[in-house]
């Protein structure tokens, strides 16, 4: 069986296991009829049949001091998995891995129960359990701030992983690359957080109906497959005698710009224009045993594999030129569309043509396996991540206490992508991830009947964000100081999943606004998604209790 994928619509996780059902249906039809078969579902059927992001209930218990410093944390995760296991074990594990988010917990206990239910089999979704785990601790931080009377940002800053001396995660991995304190400090200044906090307080004092909320929250997201053997990738590079390059690798393109980034890597290695690099559809006939394009690792894995293949060919060209023109290897230098050989220069395509005539191999495979990642589930210890991606977001909201409706007024984001492979693509991922996360936390509500059937299975009942839901003031920046301490491809960092959790700042800002509606006397019961109905119930709760 050869599997070929040219491209697909946004995958966001559903591509990992859900297509197996429909592939089986199409295969059965093909076998019975002897003809090719296509299976394409009506949107309602698709939403009813396919798995969703795991719904999680989190119970938490914290010990902390008057200064907001956390002494101990106890989490209990209850994870709705649906009728079969699917990817639930790994997803629930990652929710546990990210239960600390950016905070060093001196003592922690994290328990997880995976619940079989009579609903569809839940599956991967952007963040793969990480968002659920992070919401739990950010909710707890807001609660600690309420109990101590401190600004939530100050509580957060006092508990960050330190930058200089590594602290251990609950799974005993030292965090050696923590830059969250520096990122948050920069965003606190650029977003004018302190002055805006004062203005929000003044606004709330003067307005009995409308209330504003403000929150600045961090993100620390581990990058790698937590199933260690998946951290591998292959690539195939051909250089043709006219200087054009063919590239194939194990990653799939779903609009995230992976093909562009990997082509850039190969073009950079040969110092040629990117339009000289042609990528063909992902196929197991060229690169076998591919891992899923998931865990935000597509560029990390496939970029390194393609780089390895290109460098093998490049080394052969250098060896050929050094011998042919009697110069040391270090005097063969690849420059923009040409190669300098001693005191002479020639076009890249000319050198390639000469190497072909000299019977030099111009084709190579490349392979990459992420080093140093391992995890023992039995002892709950190990190094499941190669590095961490960091970011922070500051969100300001306004709510109508009579209806529960709200608006996101402004969002400031500062995100770490290391040395960006492509800033335009990375900015798009950050913006899109934030808006998608906001939808998950504020409006995308799943409703089931008592027989386990999904009732919100169409755009009429299941609402996702539109262009009108983005804030009018939306300020997104890539952290200029970003650099990956791990030796990734050109020291870049993954950017697919981490930005989604920046949207937790919206949920925390809504909590802040509801607290203001109750004159700061009661911490609200507010679950995600914070729909207007849930917001109104929380407002009535804090006012009734007050």
């Amino acid at each position: 069986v050869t599997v070929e994928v040219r491209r697909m619509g946004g995958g966001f996780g559903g591509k990992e296991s859900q297509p197996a059902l429909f592939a089986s249906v199409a295969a059965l039809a093909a076998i019975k009829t002897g003809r090719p078969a296509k299976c394409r579902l009506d949107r309602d059927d698709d939403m009813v049949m396919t798995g969703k992001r795991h719904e999680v209930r989190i119970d938490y218990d914290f010990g902390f001091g008057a200064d907001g410093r956390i002494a101990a944390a106890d989490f209990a995760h209850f994870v709705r998995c649906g009728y079969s296991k699917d990817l639930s074990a790994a997803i629930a594990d990652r929710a546990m891995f990210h239960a600390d988010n950016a905070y060093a917990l001196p003592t922690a206990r994290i328990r997880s129960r995976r619940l079989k239910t009579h609903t569809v089999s839940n599956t991967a979704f952007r963040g793969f359990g990480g968002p659920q785990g992070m919401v739990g601790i950010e909710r707890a931080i807001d609660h600690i701030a309420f109990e101590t009377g401190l600004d939530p940002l100050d509580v957060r800053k006092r508990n960050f992983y330190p930058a200089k001396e590594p602290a251990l995660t609950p799974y005993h991995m030292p965090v050696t690359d923590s830059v969250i304190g520096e990122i948050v400090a920069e965003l606190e200044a650029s977003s004018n957080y302190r002055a805006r906090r004062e203005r929000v307080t003044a606004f709330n004092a003067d307005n009995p109906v409308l209330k504003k909320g403000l929150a600045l929250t961090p993100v620390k997201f581990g990058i790698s497959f937590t199933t260690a053997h998946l951290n591998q990738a292959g690539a195939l590079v051909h250089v043709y005698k006219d200087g054009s390059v063919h590239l194939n690798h194990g990653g799939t393109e779903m609009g995230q710009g992976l093909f562009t980034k990997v082509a850039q890597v190969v073009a950079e290695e040969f110092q040629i224009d990117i339009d000289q690099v042609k990528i063909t559809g992902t196929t197991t006939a060229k690169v076998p045993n591919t891992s899923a394009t998931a865990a935000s690792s597509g560029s990390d894995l496939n970029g390194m594999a393609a780089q390895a293949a290109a460098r093998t060919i490049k080394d052969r060209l250098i060896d050929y030129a050094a011998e042919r023109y009697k110069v040391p290897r270090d005097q063969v230098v690849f420059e923009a569309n040409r190669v300098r050989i001693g005191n002479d220069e020639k076009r890249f395509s000319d050198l390639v043509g000469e190497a072909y005539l000299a019977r030099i191999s111009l084709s190579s495979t490349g392979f990459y396996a992420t080093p140093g990642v391992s995890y023992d589930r039995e002892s709950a210890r190990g190094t499941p991540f190669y590095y961490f991606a960091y970011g922070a977001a500051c969100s300001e909201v306004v709510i109508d206490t009579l209806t529960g409706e709200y608006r996101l007024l402004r969002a400031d984001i500062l995100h770490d992508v290391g040395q960006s492979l492509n800033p335009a693509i990375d900015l798009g991922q950050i913006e899109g991830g934030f808006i998608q996360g906001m939808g998950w936390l504020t409006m995308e509500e799943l409703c089931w009947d008592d027989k386990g059937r999904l009732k919100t299975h169409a755009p009429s009942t299941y609402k996702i964000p539109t262009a009108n839901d983005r804030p009018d003031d939306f300020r997104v920046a890539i952290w200029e100081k970003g650099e990956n301490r791990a030796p990734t491809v050109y020291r870049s960092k993954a950017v697919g999943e981490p930005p989604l959790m920046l949207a937790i700042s919206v949920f925390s800002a809504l909590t802040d606004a509801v607290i203001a509606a109750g004159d700061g006397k009661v911490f609200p019961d507010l679950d995600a998604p914070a729909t207007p109905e849930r917001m109104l119930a929380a407002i009535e709760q804090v006012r009734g209790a007050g």
Side-chain angles (χ1 to χ4, degrees), residues 13 16-18 50-56 77-97 111-125 127-130 132-133 226-227 377:
E16 288 198 61
S17 60
Q18 302 298 292
T50 54
K52 312 290 180 276
R53 185 189 291 279
H54 289 66
E55 295 146 290
V56 179
H77 293 184
F78 301 87
V79 186
R80 173 186 274 178
C81 300
Y83 71 83
S84 71
K85 289 179 67 174
D86 200 87
L87 297 169
S88 294
I91 289 165
D93 281 358
R94 189 175 275 264
M96 299 173 74
F97 284 131
R111 294 165 293 171
S112 176
R113 295 188 65 184
R114 294 86 197 267
L115 309 177
K116 183 177 181 179
T117 59
H118 66 332
T119 50
V120 291
S121 185
N122 283 335
T123 191
F125 202 144
F128 204 78
Q132 294 94 312
T226 52
T227 303
R377 291 189 80 247

Side-chain angles (χ1 to χ4, degrees), residues 29-110:
I31 290 172
K32 289 298 184 182
T33 64
R35 301 178 64 182
K38 174 186 285 188
C39 180
R40 179 161 49 188
L41 296 188
D42 174 270
R43 174 61 67 197
D44 291 79
D45 292 337
D46 188 306
M47 292 186 72
V48 167
M49 295 169 68
T50 54
K52 312 290 180 276
R53 185 189 291 279
H54 289 66
E55 295 146 290
V56 179
R57 168 180 164 150
I58 299 178
D59 294 346
Y60 58 85
D61 197 6
F62 273 66
F64 54 92
D67 60 356
R69 296 185 187 277
I70 297 169
D74 189 343
F75 289 104
H77 293 184
F78 301 87
V79 186
R80 173 186 274 178
C81 300
Y83 71 83
S84 71
K85 289 179 67 174
D86 200 87
L87 297 169
S88 294
I91 289 165
D93 281 358
R94 189 175 275 264
M96 299 173 74
F97 284 131
H98 289 84
D100 60 336
N101 193 11
Y103 309 107
L105 304 176
T107 305
R109 179 170 64 180
I110 306 165

Side-chain angles (χ1 to χ4, degrees), residues 198-530:
E198 293 179 1
R199 291 199 294 268
V200 165
T201 301
F203 177 91
N204 290 338
D206 294 338
N207 290 271
V209 175
L210 299 180
K211 298 293 181 181
K212 285 187 175 181
L214 183 69
L216 196 160
T217 61
V219 167
K220 168 185 141 286
F221 191 82
I223 303 298
S224 287
F225 286 97
T226 52
T227 303
H229 73 267
L230 296 176
N231 294 293
Q232 59 175 301
L236 176 65
V237 173
H238 302 318
V239 178
Y240 294 97
K241 58 184 178 181
D242 65 350
S244 62
V245 177
H246 167 91
L247 167 65
N248 193 270
H249 57 81
T252 56
E253 177 61 56
M254 61 199 90
Q256 84 280 40
L258 174 63
F259 277 19
T260 300
K261 283 186 172 182
V262 180
Q264 284 181 283
V265 170
V266 172
E268 178 70 17
E269 289 299 319
F270 290 126
Q271 287 293 295
I272 58 177
D273 295 335
I274 193 170
D275 60 8
Q276 288 292 101
V277 181
K278 308 298 182 186
I279 303 181
T280 53
T282 308
T283 172
T284 55
K286 291 183 178 179
V287 178
N289 305 320
T290 59
S291 296
T293 306
S296 303
S297 61
S299 297
D300 283 2
L301 295 177
N302 296 287
M304 289 292 272
Q307 183 184 63
R311 285 183 174 177
T312 298
I313 300 170
K314 185 177 178 181
D315 285 341
R316 292 174 189 159
L317 290 171
I318 291 172
D319 288 340
Y320 162 74
E323 181 180 354
R324 169 72 175 78
Y325 293 100
K326 309 302 181 186
V327 299
R329 290 184 90 257
D330 61 5
Q331 291 188 21
V332 182
V333 180
F334 285 69
E335 297 178 344
N337 292 310
R338 62 192 190 279
V339 183
R340 181 160 47 84
I341 306 171
N343 295 323
D344 297 325
E345 280 190 1
K346 58 176 67 233
R347 294 185 303 174
F348 173 78
S349 57
D350 290 340
L351 177 63
V352 168
E354 289 181 18
Y356 163 73
L357 294 175
R359 297 182 295 178
I360 303 299
S361 172
L362 298 173
S363 176
S364 179
T365 59
F367 181 79
Y368 176 75
T370 308
V373 291
S374 63
Y375 180 69
D376 178 27
R377 291 189 80 247
E378 293 302 316
S379 64
R381 291 172 178 257
T383 307
F385 305 117
Y386 192 35
Y387 63 88
F388 294 97
Y390 296 88
C394 179
S395 294
E396 182 176 343
V397 301
V398 61
I399 66 173
D400 184 335
T401 60
L402 300 180
T403 65
E405 295 174 289
Y406 50 82
R407 291 288 297 177
L408 174 60
L409 301 175
R410 174 177 166 180
D412 297 69
I413 294 172
L414 185 61
H415 196 71
D416 170 31
V417 297
Q419 292 291 310
S420 176
L421 293 176
N422 188 311
I425 288 175
D426 289 347
L427 278 170
Q429 288 290 299
I430 296 166
E431 293 171 356
F434 176 82
I435 296 298
Q436 189 176 49
M438 182 185 72
W440 167 57
L441 289 168
T442 63
M443 65 183 69
E444 298 183 40
E445 186 175 24
L446 297 170
C447 297
W448 313 87
D449 66 16
D450 57 1
K451 294 184 178 180
R453 294 176 298 198
L454 182 67
K455 306 306 290 183
T456 49
H457 53 75
S460 59
T461 50
Y462 184 83
K463 296 298 184 181
I464 65 173
T466 70
N468 288 328
D469 294 301
R470 68 179 293 281
D472 291 335
D473 194 346
F474 197 19
R475 310 183 189 194
V476 183
I478 291 174
W479 192 43
E480 292 182 356
K481 296 181 182 179
E483 182 177 356
N484 200 339
R485 297 178 191 175
T488 55
V489 59
Y490 302 131
R491 301 287 175 162
S492 62
K493 282 189 176 184
V495 72
E497 291 169 300
L500 184 134
M501 285 141 287
L502 296 169
I504 297 174
S505 61
V506 179
F507 187 69
S508 288
L510 290 172
T511 299
D512 186 51
V514 175
I515 291 173
D519 296 326
K521 297 178 180 179
V522 180
F523 190 76
D525 294 330
L526 181 63
D527 294 328

Side-chain angles (χ1 to χ4, degrees), residues 18-29:
Q18 302 298 292
L21 169 62
F22 311 116
S24 301
V25 170
L28 181 61

